[in-house]
Amino acid sequence: PTSTSTIQVYDTTSQPDINDDLLALGNMNIAGDDHKADVGFAHHEAHVTTLSNSLPPVVFIHGWKASVLADKKTGAVEFDYTLSVVSGLAKDPALELPLEWDTGGHQVKDNLIATEPCHSATCLCGVVKLGDIYGPVLDHLRKTRDLHVFAYDWRRCLDETAANFEKYLVEVKETTGGSPQVVAHSMGCLITLSVLNRRPDIFHSILFGAGAMSPNASIIKDFSLLGEMNTIVRNTTMFNPRVNLSNPSAFYFTAYPGERELYGKPSCVLFRDEEGNSLELELHDVETWKKYKIGVYHPNSGFAVVDDKTEAWFKSLLEKIHKFRLGLVPKNSGRKAKDFPPVAVLRGDHTDTEFGYVVRPDGVDLKEGITYLRGDGRITLQDAVPPKDIPVCKIITNERGHTEVLNDLENVDTLLKVLISEKK
């Protein structure tokens, strides 16, 4: 998107694992964009207006499937929400990652890197805007605050992304002289929660928007069914269980038994039998996925056969996810309520939102008998709130859908002001 902001290259010396990707892209212009590419993972917005030195810097972190992905060598955009892509008229972007780990325990990379959060859905090479994504909130924060944007590859493992985000927050604090207010959306909230449990000292405060933080079951549909939740407008093929398996970030939403109780959620039954009795499924064990025919083992996943290599990789992924999720709850991290900075929540009461499923003799039923709770269409109201041992100073509920919750600019400003007053 066109912007009057200048974008500075992120200092890559603190992130040796991504240096090659960043330096390869350099200052190359991204197609359809008249400013420098946000090379790598983050950039700083320098404003035309003079900002008050009394306000802390703001760091924005986006959600799942919500950053532009570009070729690190050519700068060509591979993934963004353009009319030709969402209508299914263009060739689908190549989003599959290798089902392999490198020597450092990270998933092997492809040629794509994140350049910036998705601003708008567009056509005619970005000239015509079809709809908003993060445009309103980003444009507003660019004009009113010292904005720093962390753009990450939403396909990759979240333990890797959280480590990079922690490094970036430390750098913002050191370069600006103040701890940042973090404005997070959806998956960005889960990443932020992970860092918060390790390093609460590097935050001024946090605004969680439509936070996908709580243990979840509805994401299983994305991993199991062609179409359905994988449909983007009219494009039914860009995302599917095969692509989603190789893009493991969303698997980090899945729960282990008893996790919702640790979070203090009022509704804890994600699965039940046909008589209505609650069931605990260990979603961090590959045998659960096989037994209950979910994910790539579902008959409608598009996988005819799951080979041994794929299954071994999936098993190792679930082990990483379990370790990551254990660190999200203060009871496990050893943090006390007094350790945390001020936290606020903005969430959406937009529609009935899928929550739980019936387990039948032939597996989990993802079509009939679904339990719904109020939410934004993706995240339920109760699940947009962090674990019970993290104090929340204020919650505002609007009526917006998941992607639009943070474009409620009046309430974003209200909550940022509340957080500043709480910090004092």
Side-chain angles (χ1 to χ4, degrees), residues 48-349:
V48 176
T49 57
T50 301
L51 299 173
S52 170
N53 292 328
S54 64
L55 294 177
V58 170
V59 169
F60 180 84
I61 178 170
H62 59 81
W64 187 34
K65 301 179 181 177
S67 67
V68 177
L69 300 179
D71 188 294
K72 64 185 178 184
K73 295 180 179 179
T74 67
V77 172
E78 181 71 14
F79 174 83
D80 198 1
Y81 291 101
T82 63
L83 178 62
S84 59
V85 169
V86 300
S87 64
L89 298 176
K91 180 182 177 182
D92 287 337
L95 298 176
E96 284 191 55
L97 287 167
L99 301 185
E100 302 173 31
W101 308 111
D102 65 21
T103 56
H106 299 306
Q107 189 174 14
V108 173
K109 297 181 179 181
D110 60 3
N111 63 321
L112 302 181
I113 60 172
T115 61
E116 61 183 338
C118 295
H119 184 280
S120 310
T122 63
C123 64
L124 298 178
C125 298
V127 175
V128 178
K129 184 175 77 171
L130 302 175
D132 292 319
I133 303 177
Y134 291 124
V137 68
L138 287 175
D139 292 346
H140 177 70
L141 291 174
R142 284 185 183 116
K143 295 174 182 176
T144 59
R145 298 293 296 273
D146 178 22
L147 177 63
H148 303 250
V149 175
F150 181 82
Y152 63 93
D153 186 338
W154 42 264
R155 302 173 299 166
R156 300 187 63 79
C157 291
L158 295 193
D159 48 332
E160 174 187 338
T161 302
N164 286 325
F165 188 46
E166 179 180 338
K167 294 174 186 177
Y168 182 63
L169 293 176
V170 170
E171 181 174 303
V172 170
K173 182 177 181 179
E174 291 175 348
T175 56
T176 65
S179 298
Q181 285 189 291
V182 170
V183 177
H185 180 254
S186 193
M187 181 179 280
C189 298
L190 181 58
I191 296 164
T192 301
L193 179 62
S194 175
V195 179
L196 177 63
N197 274 279
R198 292 197 304 272
R199 293 292 309 275
D201 57 296
I202 59 178
F203 295 86
H204 172 283
S205 52
I206 301 170
L207 169 54
F208 288 123
M213 295 172 283
S214 303
N216 185 281
S218 64
I219 194 67
I220 289 174
K221 294 189 79 168
D222 299 66
F223 305 140
S224 305
L225 304 177
L226 296 170
E228 295 272 341
M229 300 300 290
N230 287 308
T231 299
I232 306 294
V233 189
R234 293 185 179 179
N235 188 318
T236 61
T237 57
M238 177 166 54
F239 294 108
N240 56 60
R242 184 177 298 276
V243 171
N244 292 339
L245 178 65
S246 78
N247 296 182
S249 61
F251 283 93
Y252 284 70
F253 295 137
T254 57
Y256 57 83
E259 190 178 4
R260 290 190 68 83
E261 286 84 355
L262 289 174
Y263 268 66
K265 297 304 175 185
S267 302
C268 293
V269 180
L270 296 173
F271 301 98
R272 65 195 188 283
D273 63 22
E274 291 180 308
E275 284 70 48
N277 302 309
S278 65
L279 296 174
E280 289 277 18
L281 269 58
E282 174 52 277
L283 293 175
H284 298 164
D285 184 345
V286 68
E287 295 302 321
T288 300
W289 296 74
K290 294 170 67 176
K291 177 180 179 180
Y292 295 104
K293 297 182 176 62
I294 50 178
V296 295
Y297 303 98
H298 193 283
N300 295 333
S301 69
F303 271 77
V305 177
V306 181
D307 60 39
D308 291 344
K309 179 181 177 182
T310 300
E311 188 166 299
W313 186 86
F314 187 36
K315 180 179 179 180
S316 61
L317 170 65
L318 294 176
E319 291 170 355
K320 285 169 65 75
I321 291 168
H322 187 69
K323 182 179 179 180
F324 177 87
R325 290 210 65 94
L326 287 176
L328 299 177
V329 182
K331 183 177 180 180
N332 293 335
S333 67
R335 297 293 180 185
K336 306 298 183 184
K338 62 180 178 59
D339 298 330
F340 295 105
V343 170
V345 169
L346 184 58
R347 61 187 183 176
D349 184 358

Side-chain angles (χ1 to χ4, degrees), residues 369-381:
I370 297 171
T371 301
Y372 292 84
L373 299 175
R374 292 297 297 178
D376 61 26
R378 196 58 160 164
I379 304 300
T380 67
L381 290 172

